[in-house]
Amino acid sequence: MSRSGGDENPSELALLLVRAASGDAAAFEQIVVRHERRVLTLSWRLLGVMADAEDAAQEVFLRTFKYLHRFDPRKPFEPWLVRMTVNVCRDLGRKRRERGALLVEEGDAYERAGQRNPANNPDADLEAEQLRERLFQALRALPEKERAAFVLRDVEDMTTAEVAETLGTSEATVRSQISSARLKIRKLLGGRR
Amino acid sequence: MKCRAFEPLIALDVTGDLRQPERDRVAAHLETCANCQALAAELRDGQSMANLLRSHAVPSTALSAVRERILDEVAGLEPAPAWLLAMHRVIFAGLRRKTAIAGMGLIAIISGSLWYGQPPVAVLPTNAPAEQMARIEMPPPVDIPSAVPVLTPQSVARLQLPKPLVVAPPSEPQSNASPEDVASEASQIPMKFVTDDPDIIIYWLPNDKGD
């Protein structure tokens, strides 16, 4: 994976995973600290709302703790975690839709506004923020599978093969989903045709 | 090809996700189509917007809040017991769970079908009483047909064949043909004998003398 923490020692991580699987809370905390940013960011990109993303990240790590004994420590951990994150976000998004929950966009926008850098140009910040919000809205309008393919390929910068592996589908299907998602986003953002 | 057919290809071309022949076709089309050039430019802009999303980091307050919630939840959970870990490693042997389960299911189906496909074997105790042996119903004897007889010149000679029937040719004899020629032609007509056995038909090709 393009973003799989290349700076970490795989054998050290494997040791942490084995220790965490046998109930070592300190080892599990280390795993959480190393991967929380990746999981929360991906969840946020997939769901578009920070409150939902926090719930998703919590669920991902709980599942990780529960099913860590199934993971083979000789294999790379991050693709497994990313796959689980995508599945959890899919489940959560489905539940939210079934319950007809309204997205709390105002609260989210407020939260993002709170982290603007005062040293930057406020107008440029606002413009970027508005653009980002439009992109999030366009992403939310996409079908679930196209959104996941688009986020993993274009935002997470994974290769088509990695996206296919993560989503458990073929590269041809991923290409088709990405192509469709890009054209729809362009249209939703006000493309000419 | 119309522009609409090129749109999905152009959408993939902006990140180099096309194979060389398709890329060449798209490039050739873009050279001649202003509308598709505009579309490609817009899609490239979309990519830079995706970069904007990529550069946006999650707030550190959210990270610490999530970590606290996770560790609180995990503290109340029991880890998987050691025997379960050991059993899982032995059974699945590094395979993916679905692959391992599918493999075990396949083995069960094959061994089950082999087991049930065996013919039942009746095993009688060697010291079974004679009355019990007598009660066993044996199937009636089956008449096995004798082998199909092979015709030899001797066996054909023994057959009591009917006298050959000479059939006259349907056409009128030629005016210049002598009666001896006609008789010679008639004597060369093959004869067919039908025997009682429908599988045995005898053809008789007489010689010049009619033997």
Side-chain angles (χ1 to χ4, degrees), chain A residues 51-64:
Chain A
D52 287 350
E54 287 178 11
D55 289 349
Q58 184 181 351
E59 179 61 23
V60 168
F61 282 108
L62 287 180
R63 283 193 196 183
T64 303

Side-chain angles (χ1 to χ4, degrees), chain A residues 3 14 20 35-36 38 42 47 63 73 106-107 111 118 143 177:
Chain A
R3 293 186 152 207
H35 296 95
E36 62 189 1
R38 172 87 160 119
L42 176 58
L47 295 167
R63 283 193 196 183
E106 293 81 9
E111 196 171 17
Q177 287 167 343

Side-chain angles (χ1 to χ4, degrees), chain B residues 78-146:
Chain B
E78 284 289 318
W83 63 266
L84 183 63
L85 300 178
M87 195 181 78
H88 198 277
R89 284 190 192 119
V90 168
I91 293 175
F92 295 104
L95 294 172
R96 277 191 179 184
R97 173 163 281 257
K98 283 179 188 168
T99 314
I101 290 172
M104 283 192 278
L106 193 65
I107 290 170
I109 289 168
I110 291 172
S111 46
S113 63
L114 287 176
W115 175 263
Y116 285 109
Q118 295 284 336
V121 179
V123 180
L124 284 173
T126 51
N127 55 354
E131 295 160 5
Q132 194 182 342
M133 295 293 283
R135 272 200 303 252
I136 297 171
E137 289 183 7
M138 298 299 288
V142 180
D143 287 334
I144 301 169
S146 57

Side-chain angles (χ1 to χ4, degrees), chain B:
Chain B
M1 252 170 111
K2 291 182 179 173
C3 291
R4 194 159 287 279
F6 273 104
E7 285 178 3
L9 297 176
I10 295 169
L12 290 174
D13 191 44
V14 291
T15 47
D17 278 319
L18 286 181
R19 293 188 183 88
Q20 195 57 48
E22 289 170 327
R23 199 179 302 164
D24 293 344
R25 271 169 51 211
V26 169
H29 178 74
L30 285 177
E31 277 179 13
T32 60
C33 182
N35 280 341
C36 287
Q37 283 174 14
L39 171 69
E42 282 179 20
L43 286 165
R44 268 183 231 111
D45 286 348
Q47 285 297 302
S48 57
M49 283 181 75
N51 287 338
L52 185 72
L53 208 58
R54 195 182 302 160
S55 63
H56 193 62
V58 290
S60 49
T61 49
L63 281 175
S64 52
V66 166
R67 189 187 315 155
E68 204 173 313
R69 280 163 62 185
I70 293 164
L71 296 176
D72 280 352
E73 284 269 350
V74 165
L77 292 176
E78 284 289 318
W83 63 266
L84 183 63
L85 300 178
M87 195 181 78
H88 198 277
R89 284 190 192 119
V90 168
I91 293 175
F92 295 104
L95 294 172
R96 277 191 179 184
R97 173 163 281 257
K98 283 179 188 168
T99 314
I101 290 172
M104 283 192 278
L106 193 65
I107 290 170
I109 289 168
I110 291 172
S111 46
S113 63
L114 287 176
W115 175 263
Y116 285 109
Q118 295 284 336
V121 179
V123 180
L124 284 173
T126 51
N127 55 354
E131 295 160 5
Q132 194 182 342
M133 295 293 283
R135 272 200 303 252
I136 297 171
E137 289 183 7
M138 298 299 288
V142 180
D143 287 334
I144 301 169
S146 57
V148 177
V150 179
L151 284 178
T152 60
Q154 290 79 13
S155 62
V156 172
R158 278 201 300 275
L159 289 170
Q160 291 183 348
L161 299 173
K163 292 189 86 174
L165 179 69
V166 178
V167 181
S171 57
E172 285 291 320
Q174 291 176 357
S175 57
N176 56 356
S178 66
E180 289 79 10
D181 290 340
V182 172
S184 167
E185 273 184 33
S187 66
Q188 289 174 3
I189 293 170
M191 297 295 161
K192 179 181 175 184
F193 294 97
V194 180
T195 65
D196 291 338
D197 190 341
D199 293 330
I200 300 175
I201 299 169
I202 300 169
Y203 288 95
W204 181 30
L205 297 170
N207 59 14
D208 292 345
K209 294 174 185 172
D211 293 335

Side-chain angles (χ1 to χ4, degrees), chain A residues 3 27 69 74 93 104 120 164:
Chain A
R3 293 186 152 207
H69 65 277
R74 291 167 295 184
V104 194
N120 289 353

